[in-house]
Amino acid sequence: MTESLLKVSNLAITFPHENQKITVVNGVSFALPQGEVLGLVGESGCGKSLTALSLLRLVPSPGKISNGQILWQGKELLQLPLPEIYRLRGKEISIIFQNPLTSFNPVQTVGKQLSEALELHSSYSPPEVRDLVLTQMQQVGLPQPLRQYQSYPHELSGGMRQRALIAMALIGQPQLLIADEPTTALDVTIQAQILDLLQLMQKKQRMGVLLITHNLGIVARIADQVAVMYAGKIVETAPVQELFQNPLHPYTQGLLGAIPRLDRQEILYTIPGTVPDPAHLPRGCAFAPRCPERFKVCLEQIPELSPNSPQHQVACWLKT
Amino acid sequence: MRAYFCKRLLLLIPTLLGISLACFLIMQMVPGGPVEQALQKIKYQAGESEAGAGGSSQLTTELNQEELMNIKKYYGFDKPILTRYLLWLGKLLQGDLGTSYIYEKPVLELIASRIPISLTFGLISMFITYLVCIPLGVQKALKHQSPFDHLSSILVFLGYAIPGYALGVLLIVLFGGGSFWDVFPISGLVSDNFEDLTWYQQIWDYAQHLFLPILCYTIGGFATLTLLMKNSLMEELNKDYIRTALAKGLPYHQAVLRHGLRNALIPIATNIGMIIGVILSGSFLIETIFTIDGMGLLGYQSIINRDYPVALGLIIISSLLSLVGRIISDFCLALVDPRIRF
């Protein structure tokens, strides 16, 4: 087995709320080997974006990383002093955010914002920076790099903005790219292009990619390994083939059943109920109230993530 | 863009016509105008001589009829109001604002003599206000809810709550050499021996004279701009692009200064044009207290004395300035925000 680029163990993120602390991410552990794509899947509000932000120590205040360990190439990220974190951000670990329009400063040209990412981590002269940025812009498929370099973010189309954002994330040649719902704000044809681009760049630069999405279609397309999150916990993790062929957790089964298919003329399956409020989580398994297969122990005790087979882990009382 | 600003400039003409017509009509309909004042004077004099010599009242009335026509003619009140307006407008277009009834000088000359004083006050006040409020607002936004934030809020609101003229009186009592300290001169803009001083003494003398009035001018203005700056920046701090800047590896305060500040300054920049009108308007109360011959005092006196040419001249000039200020504001907005194109 290859040495892990990133190893997260027992991560917990809490937010203060009405004199108590709400644990929004609770005991999340996963590992990402170099050059692999890990898909982190879950509904809105399950804590997947927060998990991603915690890797850069960008959890928005008043939220706090209250527990856990993030090992990045052997270094403990949560113990590093801030200046070292600044050096890491954008150089070793980069992130692509969901909304490419609001992720850009509206009053600065795209070129300037891209250059800044490189200038922060290198000692290139301004003309060299400019050349490198233009090359990177060309590599991500921006049609006229020189023109888009001088444009303001609002002057580009949605797809071009996302390409520019990807260029900005890749300019420092990171070893890990976090893509937080990179295609959610785009229409379907552009989504496919952006995914192809991400996959291409990932192969080219041999980066690890943490892909955060609620879209299982995207995961099936580019991920190597999948982790399914529910209510702040990882409930199932497996290689992508295995997960799609043999989903073990009832929640994963529900998600897969809820994918519309053209070859079946039946009413689309929906998981009954809604995501629980993190302030009022059920005592036992968080999914139990919505689970079609629950039994007594599910409502009383929280199941731990445990291996069903060497590569396939699941947190469900049914499987243990 | 050029077409847009040409259109805006052309729109100034009907707007100014409307403003001038409305002000002209309202002002001339107010009782107590120059004719009535002149009559009052004559009646008073006649009453005095009547009491002394015991002459017939018949004579006085007749005299008054004749005199009345003369007086009306002198002030131009023998014609209907619209004709008067058109005559006044015709002269205005030739750059003639008429002659002051009180000072018996051309209005333009009167106003021109006051402009440097009010402009000095206005510009210095504006400069100080921006110089204090922008850094203060930024600090307050960065240290939201801290003791510094609360304390500075109390101070600027205290300033906002104190009327400038009241502060003026207080400052004169305290620092004007009466019962307490003799630190600042209390009236005028320069000392009597100004001519004999060397240039640096002149500057020092001028600064000493300006200090108290400027303080009174600016004290109320800090709150609005500081809070505008703070809130505007706080709003920007929550935006996604700040997070992007942090993710690039910028330390927080640099992300704020390099990215947030420029965006937060957009609403502030649009205020600049509005200030042009304010710069010249002055404040008659503060000018009265510190005996400064500024625009505020001139405007106030012209209205009290029904000195129509001066009052109308001031209105036309300040309306023109604030209208042009609005156009400048829009221009500034387009300048700082690339998303705005007309």
Side-chain angles (χ1 to χ4, degrees), chain B residues 268-282:
Chain B
I268 310 275
T270 55
N271 250 6
I272 278 184
M274 310 285 175
I275 272 166
I276 290 178
V278 183
I279 282 179
L280 281 178
S281 67

Side-chain angles (χ1 to χ4, degrees), chain A residues 277-291:
Chain A
D277 176 0
H280 303 100
L281 281 184
R283 199 153 60 93
C285 169
F287 188 63
R290 302 171 74 186
C291 183

Side-chain angles (χ1 to χ4, degrees), chain A residues 53 56 58 86 89-90 93 95 97 99 102-108 113 116-117 120-121 152 154 165 168, chain B residues 239-241 243-252 254 258-260 262-263 266 336-341:
Chain A
L53 287 174
L56 286 168
L58 278 176
Y86 296 147
R89 288 177 185 166
I93 306 179
I95 187 163
F97 292 110
N99 191 333
T102 57
S103 295
F104 277 110
N105 179 348
V107 300
Q108 224 179 43
Q113 296 185 56
E116 189 180 36
L120 278 169
H121 302 293
Y152 287 97
H154 71 278
L165 204 57
M168 183 151 83
Chain B
K239 291 200 172 157
D240 287 353
Y241 67 83
R243 197 177 57 180
T244 310
L246 292 175
K248 275 186 214 174
L250 276 174
Y252 187 69
Q254 281 203 40
R258 283 200 205 175
H259 295 278
R262 167 91 191 268
N263 281 285
I266 291 172
V336 291
D337 191 342
R339 287 164 297 181
I340 290 172
R341 291 289 173 262

